[in-house]
Amino acid sequence: MILVTGGAGFIGGNFILDWLAGCNEPVIDLDALTYAGNLETLADIADDPRHVLVQGDVCDRDLIAGLLEKYRPRAIVHFAAESHVDRSIHGPGEFIRTNIEGTFVMLEAARAYWNALGGVEKAAFRFHHISTDEVYGSLTADEAPFTEENPHRPNSPYAASKAASDHLARAWFHTYELPVVVTNCSNNYGPYQFPEKLIPLTIVNALAGQPLPVYGDGKNVRDWLYVGDHCRAIRAVLEGGRPGEIYNVGGHCEKTNVDIVRTVCALLDDMWPSEGGSYARLISFVTDRPGHDRRYAIDASKIERELGWKPEETFETGIRKTVQWYLAHPKWVANVQSGAYREWIDRQYGGAETAQ
Ligand code: NAD
Ligand code: DAU
């Protein structure tokens, strides 16, 4: 079996659903169920004996050591993190704790467990650290996309905490020979993403007739990848990736934020027309994110060359599926928009809008 951390979140949840749809190998899912963890994402496998959910913290050494001893996984896929840049700007403390200390605790527990394994099991074991392209910093318009050789130049508290966790993962391989693989992926989108991130926020605000906040001039660029393609990349690296290696994962899909928002509006105009006219009327340029990275772009040629992975979805097919999913799951959306969600929206966007 495998141990997944953060499996009730957006990418971890998609990963577990895809994993169990494709094979019968059980998954132990360790998740603290923070505001971002959602059991409804896993509702279809709630009674599936192949999925064991453990509510707990990646900083809890005894719990993790006990889980490794009890379940004896062949791999750990470490997704659990605080993941939202804007929240890291308001309150970095939890990002330092979960993303840095949590990764340290996971690596140490894995090291003790792995050291005690015998020949074949020891050779096959993998610690897969899930990371982000944000560790590489920001590109100018004419710089080449990030390769695995780019230095880490993180600019937000979130990115700095992920960069620190990448360094720990690297050091545990070099010093202790723990078989670590790291993937650094670009912006994901798809079903089950919490509506604090750009694409789901745009969809749910548009459907509610609320402003669609675009930071600054809207020209910041991200490289978008459908979440199912990220999950396939993780499976490929888990099976064929070389210990100690980093694999960049991206969609070859650079788009400005304002283009993303306009595309979502056009799809909604087509699939769920509003009586008030095009949803694009709701676009509202607001105060920029402090330290906002201008451009991310990923060179994914290493994983393509070594492991034969390539994205299957184009942005056009992936974004259409995503909008359709949110339209078909109003209950999931309503349930995540709790009191705590509304407090966040008020804190982040309250009074910050400027004229278009
Ligand atoms: P998410 O915020 O949707 O989910 C995070 C999950 O981790 C939640 O289920 C939460 O309950 C859990 N968690 C948080 N703190 C925990 C703790 N202390 N102990 C145990 N569980 C805890 O995040 P996501 O978007 O699914 O991202 C998953 C991983 O992928 C993160 O490591 C993130 O840095 C990375 N990543 C995300 C993206 C993206 O676009 N979303 C892109 C590249 C990499
Ligand atoms: O690049 C990978 C990263 O992508 C992951 O590591 C992070 O976990 C994930 O949250 C994401 O980070 P971003 O900051 O790029 O994603 P977000 O959806 O928050 O923002 C995408 C872009 O849209 C960014 O340039 C900021 C902008 N934005 C975002 C929000 C929430 C807006 O213009 N308005 C908004 O309301």
Side-chain angles (χ1 to χ4, degrees), residues 53-308:
L53 179 79
V54 178
Q55 183 171 2
D57 191 329
V58 289
C59 297
D60 184 339
R61 286 158 204 255
D62 292 343
L63 171 68
I64 293 150
L67 289 176
L68 293 174
E69 207 41 56
K70 179 172 177 188
Y71 293 107
R72 310 198 65 73
R74 71 172 174 98
I76 295 173
V77 188
H78 179 42
F79 292 96
E82 289 292 332
S83 69
H84 191 34
V85 173
D86 293 322
R87 287 185 190 256
S88 83
I89 294 168
H90 286 287
E94 204 52 31
F95 288 72
I96 304 304
R97 198 187 79 85
T98 292
N99 299 2
I100 305 178
E101 187 188 335
T103 301
F104 163 65
V105 170
M106 289 301 303
L107 286 165
E108 276 295 78
R111 181 164 77 94
Y113 167 71
W114 175 74
N115 270 332
L117 289 176
V120 177
E121 282 180 326
K122 191 167 186 173
F125 183 78
R126 293 289 181 274
F127 185 103
H128 189 141
H129 177 59
I130 304 296
S131 193
T132 167
D133 60 0
E134 301 210 7
V135 300
Y136 298 122
S138 185
L139 294 168
T140 58
D142 49 8
E143 275 180 303
F146 302 125
T147 73
E148 292 80 1
E149 305 304 318
N150 273 67
H152 281 197
R153 289 189 303 193
N155 291 320
S156 71
Y158 162 70
S161 69
K162 291 297 291 187
S165 67
D166 287 15
H167 291 319
L168 293 177
R170 175 188 162 90
W172 260 242
F173 170 74
H174 281 274
T175 303
Y176 304 115
E177 297 178 7
L178 182 69
V180 172
V181 284
V182 178
T183 44
N184 290 86
C185 188
S186 62
N187 283 62
N188 283 214
Y189 67 97
Y192 305 108
Q193 188 168 29
F194 194 77
E196 64 186 353
K197 309 282 166 63
L198 180 65
I199 288 178
L201 181 83
T202 300
I203 299 170
V204 305
N205 276 16
L207 293 175
Q210 298 291 319
L212 310 179
V214 175
Y215 297 160
D217 65 2
K219 301 270 176 61
N220 300 64
V221 171
R222 297 292 182 265
D223 180 348
W224 294 93
L225 181 71
Y226 189 70
V227 65
D229 279 324
H230 187 188
C231 294
R232 285 178 40 255
I234 295 166
R235 293 200 298 273
V237 171
L238 204 52
E239 298 317 319
R242 288 178 290 135
E245 292 294 318
I246 296 166
Y247 297 88
N248 280 358
V249 183
H252 305 293
C253 178
E254 291 184 52
K255 305 243 177 242
T256 63
N257 295 334
V258 73
D259 279 350
I260 293 286
V261 174
R262 287 200 181 111
T263 300
V264 169
C265 289
L267 281 168
L268 285 172
D269 287 342
D270 182 36
M271 291 187 226
W272 199 263
S274 151
E275 283 178 4
S278 172
Y279 291 99
R281 74 186 189 282
L282 298 171
I283 292 175
S284 171
F285 288 86
V286 301
T287 308
D288 208 353
R289 172 185 280 175
H292 196 176
D293 283 338
R294 193 63 175 168
R295 173 177 168 240
Y296 303 145
I298 279 277
D299 177 342
S301 53
K302 178 174 173 182
I303 186 173
E304 293 174 6
R305 193 175 57 247
E306 290 193 12
L307 301 175

Side-chain angles (χ1 to χ4, degrees), residues 13-70:
N14 274 284
F15 177 81
I16 291 177
L17 293 172
D18 284 2
W19 181 271
L20 293 179
C23 75
N24 279 324
E25 186 173 8
V27 179
I28 311 303
D29 178 3
L30 171 64
D31 198 298
L33 299 180
T34 67
Y35 80 93
N38 188 348
L39 288 183
E40 278 198 47
T41 299
L42 304 170
D44 285 352
I45 53 168
D47 299 321
D48 190 325
R50 298 171 303 164
H51 175 239
V52 179
L53 179 79
V54 178
Q55 183 171 2
D57 191 329
V58 289
C59 297
D60 184 339
R61 286 158 204 255
D62 292 343
L63 171 68
I64 293 150
L67 289 176
L68 293 174
E69 207 41 56
K70 179 172 177 188

